[in-house]
C-alpha cells in the first residue's frame, strides 16, 4: 500500500484519481482549497478509512505527517474562464504550488507527478503535436497566465529531476471530460451539455472551425497509472487523437441529447488555439496505452451526470 498525496484532489480529474488510488488499495491524502473544486466531488469516498482531506492552499508550505510515496500535483484552475478570472492564483499555483509540491516529494523521497497540459503548445503551428514541439505561446496574452505557469512547472520538475535526482513524471493532458466537471466552469463540454439540456442556445465561439480532441476521464486515469509505472521522465502526451471541430461537437451534443436548442455564435476568445490534436506515439510505444472509450459512450455518461445534477 502506498501513501499518496493528490493536490487538486477535489477537482474534476483529481477526484477521479483519488478514487482510483483508493480502489487500488492505497492511502490517499487529498490537498485542496476548493478554489475551483468542490466537497461534493470527494463526497462519494470522503468517509473511506484510507482517505483524508487537507484543506490547504498549496502556494503555501505543504505539511504532511509521516511517510509519503507519491505526490501528484493536479492543483490549478484548468478552464480558460477560471484562469482568466483567477490570473494570479493560476500563476502562483503553477509556480509556487509546484515548487512546494516538489519540495514535499524531495523531503519524503517520493515520486513526483506533474499534471501539465496541451496548452504548453499554445496555438500550435504543427499538427499533430508531438512532445518535442516547443510550442507557440503568447506569454503576455490572457492565456499566458496558465500556459507559462505550466511551462515553468515543467522546467522546475525537470530541474528537480536532473539536479536533485527526484523520480518525476510529467503528463501533458489534452481536453479531458466526464462526470464531476463543474456545470458552470465555462469549458465547452459542460457549457454545451447544460445548454442543450436546458434549451438554451449552444454558444459556439468564432465560426466553430477550431478543433479539439476529447478524452474520456477513465482513459486518462488509466494512462496516468501506466505512466506512474514507467521509468520515463520527459513529458508525455495523453489525449485522444480523434480531432473534431467545435461546430461538429455542438451538433454531436444536440444529437445525443435530442435537444432542439439553436446554435448561437459568439466572438472567438483571444489566442484560442485553432487546432489541437495529440501525437500519442510515445504513449502507445512506452505505455501500450491508447483511448478506448468512444466519444458517444463517454458523452452519454457525462450527459447522464449533468441531467441528474440539473434535476437534483
Ligand atoms: P479543476 O478546476 O476541476 O480542478 C483543479 C483543482 O485544483 C480544484 O479542486 C481546485 O480547488 C484546486 N486548486 C486550485 N488552486 C489550488 C491551490 N492553490 N491550492 C489547493 N488546491 C487548489 O480542473 P481539472 O480539469 O480537474 O484539472 C486538474 C489538473 O489537470 C490541472 O492541473 C489542469 O491544469 C490539468 N489539466 C486538465 C485538463 C482537462 O482537460 N481537464 C487538460 C490539461 C491539463
Ligand atoms: N468553446 C465554444 N463555446 C463555449 C466554450 C468553448 O465554442 O461555450 C470553444 C473554445 O473557444 C475552444 C474550444 O471550445 O475553441 C474548447 O474550449 P474549452 O474552454 O473547453 O478549453 P480549451 O480547449 O480552449 O482549453
Amino acid at each position: 500500500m502506498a501513501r499518496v498525496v493528490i493536490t487538486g484532489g477535489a477537482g474534476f480529474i483529481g477526484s477521479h484519481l483519488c478514487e482510483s488510488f483508493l480502489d487500488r488499495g492505497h492511502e490517499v491524502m487529498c490537498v485542496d482549497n476548493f478554489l475551483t473544486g468542490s466537497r461534493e466531488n470527494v463526497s462519494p469516498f470522503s468517509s473511506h478509512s484510507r482517505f483524508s482531506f487537507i484543506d490547504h492552499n498549496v502556494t503555501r508550505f505543504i505539511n504532511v505527517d509521516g511517510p509519503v510515496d507519491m505526490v501528484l500535483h493536479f492543483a490549478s484552475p484548468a478552464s480558460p474562464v477560471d484562469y482568466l478570472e483567477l490570473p494570479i492564483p493560476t500563476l502562483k499555483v503553477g509556480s509556487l504550488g509546484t515548487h512546494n509540491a516538489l519540495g514535499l516529494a524531495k523531503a519524503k523521497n517520493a515520486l513526483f507527478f506533474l499534471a501539465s497540459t496541451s496548452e504548453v503548445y499554445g496555438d500550435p503551428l504543427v499538427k499533430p503535436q508531438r512532445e518535442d514541439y516547443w510550442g507557440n505561446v503568447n506569454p503576455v496574452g490572457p492565456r499566458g497566465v496558465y500556459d507559462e505557469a505550466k511551462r515553468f512547472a515543467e522546467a522546475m520538475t525537470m530541474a528537480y529531476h536532473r539536479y536533485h535526482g527526484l523520480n518525476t513524471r510529467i503528463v501533458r493532458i489534452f481536453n479531458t471530460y466526464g462526470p464531476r466537471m463543474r456545470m458552470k466552469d465555462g469549458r465547452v463540454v459542460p457549457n454545451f451539455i447544460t445548454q442543450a439540456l436546458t434549451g438554451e442556445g449552444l454558444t459556439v465561439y468564432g465560426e466553430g472551425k477550431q478543433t479539439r480532441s476529447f478524452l474520456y476521464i477513465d482513459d486518462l486515469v488509466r494512462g496516468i497509472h501506466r505512466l506512474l509505472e514507467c521509468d520515463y521522465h520527459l513529458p508525455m502526451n495523453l489525449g485522444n487523437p480523434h480531432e473534431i471541430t467545435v461546430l461538429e461537437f455542438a451538433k454531436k451534443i444536440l444529437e445525443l441529447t435530442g435537444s432542439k436548442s439553436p446554435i448561437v455564435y459568439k466572438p472567438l476568445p483571444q489566442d484560442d488555439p485553432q487546432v489541437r490534436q495529440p501525437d500519442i506515439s510515445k504513449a502507445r510505444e512506452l505505455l501500450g496505452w491508447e483511448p478506448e472509450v468512444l466519444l458517444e459512450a463517454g458523452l452519454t455518461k457525462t450527459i447522464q451526470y449533468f441531467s441528474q445534477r440539473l434535476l437534483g
Side-chain angles (χ1 to χ4, degrees):
M1 183 181 82
R3 292 189 88 216
V4 184
V5 170
I6 302 180
T7 77
F12 157 53
I13 298 178
S15 64
H16 286 277
L17 267 183
C18 288
E19 202 168 7
S20 73
F21 274 98
L22 291 171
D23 288 348
R24 286 166 165 80
H26 302 297
E27 182 180 341
V28 173
M29 289 161 284
C30 166
V31 186
D32 204 297
N33 65 350
F34 300 122
L35 185 65
T36 57
S38 70
R39 257 178 222 286
E40 278 174 331
N41 279 349
V42 293
S43 62
F45 44 83
S46 57
S47 56
H48 198 295
S49 59
R50 281 183 276 104
F51 179 79
S52 56
F53 185 82
I54 304 170
D55 188 344
H56 180 68
N57 181 342
V58 298
T59 65
R60 304 217 180 92
F61 185 85
I62 310 168
N63 196 18
V64 176
D65 291 334
V68 173
D69 301 296
M70 295 181 208
V71 176
L72 288 93
H73 182 43
F74 278 69
S76 170
S79 156
V81 171
D82 285 342
Y83 59 73
L84 296 186
E85 279 174 9
L86 300 163
I88 294 166
T90 301
L91 280 159
K92 285 174 79 172
V93 73
S95 53
L96 306 177
T98 303
H99 189 211
N100 288 334
L102 280 162
L104 173 67
K106 179 168 160 274
K108 304 284 184 180
N109 201 14
L111 182 151
F112 178 81
F113 188 104
L114 175 69
S116 186
T117 167
S118 52
E119 278 281 327
V120 299
Y121 302 120
D123 189 2
L125 303 175
V126 302
K127 196 180 82 160
Q129 293 89 48
R130 285 163 41 118
E131 290 87 346
D132 55 9
Y133 176 52
W134 291 352
N136 177 40
V137 171
N138 175 0
V140 295
R143 297 174 85 105
V145 297
Y146 182 65
D147 304 10
E148 294 297 1
K150 289 289 187 181
R151 287 165 72 100
F152 174 88
E154 288 196 2
M156 195 65 153
T157 303
M158 289 310 298
Y160 266 67
H161 174 66
R162 294 192 178 113
Y163 188 75
H164 291 306
L166 197 70
N167 187 10
T168 57
R169 308 283 187 277
I170 300 174
V171 62
R172 289 186 181 152
I173 303 167
F174 285 65
N175 293 70
T176 300
Y177 70 96
R180 301 200 192 128
M181 292 186 99
R182 225 167 68 238
M183 208 163 345
K184 293 207 166 121
D185 89 1
R187 286 183 273 193
V188 70
V189 175
N191 268 13
F192 284 181
I193 294 179
T194 51
Q195 288 161 347
L197 292 175
T198 56
E200 286 170 44
L202 271 62
T203 51
V204 168
Y205 299 159
E207 293 172 33
K209 286 185 184 158
Q210 68 275 34
T211 68
R212 293 294 185 272
S213 325
F214 296 98
L215 181 69
Y216 188 63
I217 183 67
D218 292 0
D219 280 331
L220 177 71
V221 169
R222 195 168 43 83
I224 288 171
H225 283 280
R226 293 262 175 100
L227 181 54
L228 278 165
E229 285 157 17
C230 174
D231 194 25
Y232 185 77
H233 308 287
L234 288 169
M236 187 174 296
N237 290 340
L238 288 182
N240 193 330
H242 176 71
E243 194 187 17
I244 176 170
T245 69
V246 166
L247 184 58
E248 284 165 346
F249 187 64
K251 290 178 180 162
K252 175 71 69 189
I253 298 290
L254 289 177
E255 178 195 317
L256 292 175
T257 52
S259 169
K260 298 273 176 285
S261 285
I263 287 178
V264 294
Y265 291 88
K266 300 273 180 188
L268 189 67
Q270 187 187 333
D271 297 336
D272 196 290
Q274 288 309 287
V275 292
R276 188 179 285 155
Q277 184 190 30
D279 181 319
I280 59 162
S281 315
K282 201 142 253 152
R284 279 200 173 105
E285 181 196 332
L286 297 180
L287 311 182
W289 176 91
E290 61 180 8
E292 287 173 1
V293 181
L294 294 176
L295 186 61
E296 285 76 5
L299 284 176
T300 302
K301 288 189 185 171
T302 313
I303 290 166
Q304 265 167 18
Y305 171 81
F306 282 111
S307 309
Q308 280 161 5
R309 304 269 317 177
L310 283 166
L311 285 174

